[in-house]
Amino acid sequence: MIRDMTIGNPIKLILAFSIPLLIGNVFQQLYNIADIIIVGRTIGVDALASVGAASPIFFFLLTLSNGLTGGLTVITAQKFGAKDESGVRRSVTVSICISLLATIVVTIFSILCLKPLLAVMNVPAVLIQGAYDYISIIIYGLISMMAYNLLSSIIRALGDSKTPLYFLIFSTLINIVLAILFICVFGMGIAGSAIAVIIAQAISSLCCIIYIMKKFPILQLKREDWKLDYAFAMQHLKLALPMALQFSIIAIGIFIIQSVCNTFGPNTIAAFTSAIRIEQIATQPMLSFGIAMATYTAQNYGARKLDRIRQGVLSCSGISIAISLFMGFIIYNFGETLIAIFISNAEPEVLSIAKTYLMISSTCYFFLGQLFIFRNTLQGMGDARIPFIACIIELVLRCFSALYITNMFGFLGICYSNPISWAGAMLLVTISYFRKMKQMKQSPYWQPSLQPHHEI
């Protein structure tokens, strides 16, 4: 269902968009988490550590895909908000071409650099073959990951966040079944886990294609929509490349942290891997609000309803604060219990290391929630520069924590790396948002709301 977010109550629109998105994000995380649980409980700690040691590369590919496709479809959402149907179709064709080219380049580059990357990451010799087997399959199947992220982003750009959710739930269940089948029945080991991920993502993509063809007349592409428009393509790239690079920089920070973590041995790697997966689930509500704000802002910016952007940010920020405090409380108090889900008969050392990380990180979810809100709002307004600088700040602060604080205090440096980087980046994007809103108040497009919002 197409949802026009330029009319109606802002917070109700954002909530209606965010909740399906949240469920979808959780299920997307379950792709990897389910595999880790199955690997950790059926193969063992070393196998779990192998997947964990390679996880920064997987995270890099995932975030690169999310950043690129999310940036491309900002233009799609803006054209939809401006009621430009031809512009929407042309934006989709440009996005398809750019995504396909990027997939080919990244796949070739990743395969060529994989072995040197694993060496640079200090992956222990006992884990390196398992890590290579897992991540090489993920790389070869990158096309399915990119396809799903692009197609679901296009559907969400038109205001429909429910349909990608349904497909994702279905394919996640398939992933779990296949992972159990490949690992436990066929004895394919870690490779079976990766193959299950790729097949499940391919099914998600196919479902999106069929749905778009049947339900979205506005996306029935014509021959003229494929005509190359260099200026229009560059308009997409000016948003997509900084967002892809921005997300990649975040992944590079995780890469550095994991490289330092790998020097502590298999138990620490397994503990850190489990703790990170729990944190990724816990922070999904904040992430979902951020993604919703990008679409909401892009549509209203395209429609020149700038006052609605301010109203949406204010409401969404307040809800995000409440959720971040609640999730922080849950993880702080029950994190150790959740860790036990990942590893059968976990050693006390593994549980203790994971608990330490979660107790420190969970007290700072407030910073992450606000970072998501203000960064995505700026991106929805077409500002890729400030979010990119914020990612540079995140990278620098993560490197400082991983390399210097860890050198002085050991694993605690890794525990503090995310909170420090979240706080620094949040400060920049928050200040930049208020400065941009102050500038836009001088615009002739800025009109205070004179009529009450229509209920949905």
Side-chain angles (χ1 to χ4, degrees):
M1 179 185 67
I2 294 177
R3 185 185 298 274
D4 187 345
M5 303 181 79
T6 63
I7 57 174
N9 185 296
I11 193 57
K12 287 188 176 183
L13 285 165
I14 293 169
L15 283 172
F17 190 89
S18 297
I19 291 173
L21 190 61
L22 166 61
I23 300 172
N25 286 338
V26 169
F27 271 92
Q28 191 166 43
Q29 289 298 325
L30 287 176
Y31 266 109
N32 195 227
I33 290 175
D35 295 336
I36 286 176
I37 292 174
I38 295 169
V39 167
R41 297 187 71 88
T42 61
I43 306 178
V45 171
D46 281 356
L48 174 60
S50 294
V51 175
S55 62
I57 301 176
F58 181 91
F59 183 69
F60 172 82
L61 296 173
L62 179 62
T63 53
L64 178 67
S65 173
N66 283 333
L68 182 71
T69 57
L72 291 170
T73 53
V74 166
I75 302 295
T76 310
Q78 289 179 351
K79 294 297 181 182
F80 178 72
K83 307 298 187 293
D84 181 359
E85 294 191 5
S86 174
V88 170
R89 292 195 303 273
R90 291 190 299 115
S91 176
V92 168
T93 59
V94 167
S95 299
I96 292 172
C97 293
I98 293 175
S99 298
L100 181 59
L101 179 61
T103 300
I104 295 171
V105 172
V106 173
T107 298
I108 294 173
F109 180 79
S110 298
I111 289 297
L112 293 176
C113 297
L114 181 55
K115 287 187 176 179
L117 273 176
L118 292 174
V120 169
M121 291 173 64
N122 302 312
V123 177
V126 69
L127 306 178
I128 197 163
Q129 186 59 50
Y132 180 85
D133 291 344
Y134 178 82
I135 202 63
S136 61
I137 294 171
I138 296 294
I139 292 172
Y140 282 118
L142 180 60
I143 183 66
S144 64
M145 180 190 298
M146 186 74 78
Y148 172 73
N149 285 327
L150 176 61
L151 293 167
S152 60
S153 293
I154 290 170
I155 294 172
R156 283 194 292 265
L158 304 187
D160 181 358
S161 61
K162 290 183 179 180
T163 301
L165 164 63
Y166 302 145
F167 298 150
L168 190 56
I169 292 174
F170 174 64
S171 61
T172 299
L173 295 175
I174 292 176
N175 176 49
I176 294 172
V177 172
L178 289 177
I180 294 173
L181 181 67
F182 293 159
I183 294 173
C184 300
V185 179
F186 296 155
M188 298 174 65
I190 294 174
S193 172
I195 294 171
V197 171
I198 297 304
I199 293 175
Q201 289 178 331
I203 291 173
S204 296
S205 303
L206 181 61
C207 290
C208 287
I209 291 172
I210 294 172
Y211 181 79
I212 288 173
M213 292 176 63
K214 291 186 174 182
K215 299 294 183 178
F216 285 84
I218 192 176
L219 295 181
Q220 299 301 311
L221 305 179
K222 305 174 183 178
R223 178 177 295 181
E224 57 266 26
D225 297 326
W226 293 93
K227 184 178 180 181
L228 178 62
D229 185 333
Y230 178 79
F232 196 50
M234 289 303 300
Q235 186 181 353
H236 285 71
L237 286 172
K238 285 180 181 178
L239 280 177
L241 289 181
M243 284 184 68
L245 187 56
Q246 164 198 320
F247 279 48
S248 300
I249 288 172
I250 295 174
I252 291 170
I254 301 297
F255 178 92
I256 293 172
I257 292 173
Q258 185 70 57
S259 299
V260 175
C261 182
N262 288 345
T263 64
F264 288 90
N267 279 349
T268 300
I269 297 172
F272 182 64
T273 299
S274 302
I276 284 292
R277 294 306 179 273
I278 290 172
E279 181 168 270
Q280 287 173 344
I281 289 289
T283 56
Q284 286 308 304
M286 291 85 84
L287 173 62
S288 300
F289 277 120
I291 296 174
M293 282 305 303
T295 298
Y296 172 86
T297 301
Q299 286 195 15
N300 282 282
Y301 191 80
R304 297 300 186 222
K305 296 185 177 181
L306 306 182
D307 61 318
R308 289 178 56 81
I309 297 175
R310 176 182 56 81
Q311 294 163 1
V313 168
L314 181 63
S315 300
C316 200
S317 179
I319 294 175
S320 181
I321 290 173
I323 292 177
S324 63
L325 293 176
F326 173 75
M327 296 305 300
F329 173 82
I330 295 296
I331 297 302
Y332 186 91
N333 289 282
F334 302 104
E336 187 174 3
T337 303
L338 296 172
I339 289 294
I341 297 174
F342 286 81
I343 309 172
S344 178
N345 300 319
E347 296 181 15
E349 180 187 7
V350 175
L351 292 176
S352 177
I353 293 170
K355 180 181 178 180
T356 299
Y357 174 86
L358 290 175
M359 289 182 69
I360 292 173
S361 183
S362 62
T363 60
C364 300
Y365 288 168
F366 160 80
F367 298 117
L368 181 62
Q370 298 307 295
L371 172 60
F372 283 142
I373 297 295
F374 292 109
R375 182 167 64 192
N376 281 278
T377 298
L378 289 170
Q379 289 170 339
M381 291 188 285
D383 185 348
R385 183 177 62 90
I386 294 299
F388 175 72
I389 295 174
C391 284
I392 296 293
I393 292 175
E394 280 193 76
L395 176 61
V396 171
L397 292 176
R398 278 201 178 97
C399 291
F400 171 78
S401 298
L403 299 177
Y404 290 97
I405 299 181
T406 300
N407 188 48
M408 293 184 290
F409 299 104
F411 184 70
L412 286 178
I414 293 176
C415 297
Y416 282 105
S417 60
N418 277 335
I420 290 173
S421 64
W422 294 339
M426 185 213 72
L427 183 62
L428 173 64
V429 294
T430 303
I431 293 173
S432 299
Y433 163 77
F434 283 107
R435 289 185 61 184
K436 189 172 186 68
M437 293 304 288
K438 184 178 180 180
Q439 293 172 356
M440 290 198 302
K441 283 183 180 180
Q442 310 302 320
S443 166
Y445 294 116
W446 182 273
Q447 296 292 333
S449 295
L450 300 178
Q451 299 177 350
H453 298 292
H454 300 289
E455 297 296 328
I456 301 175

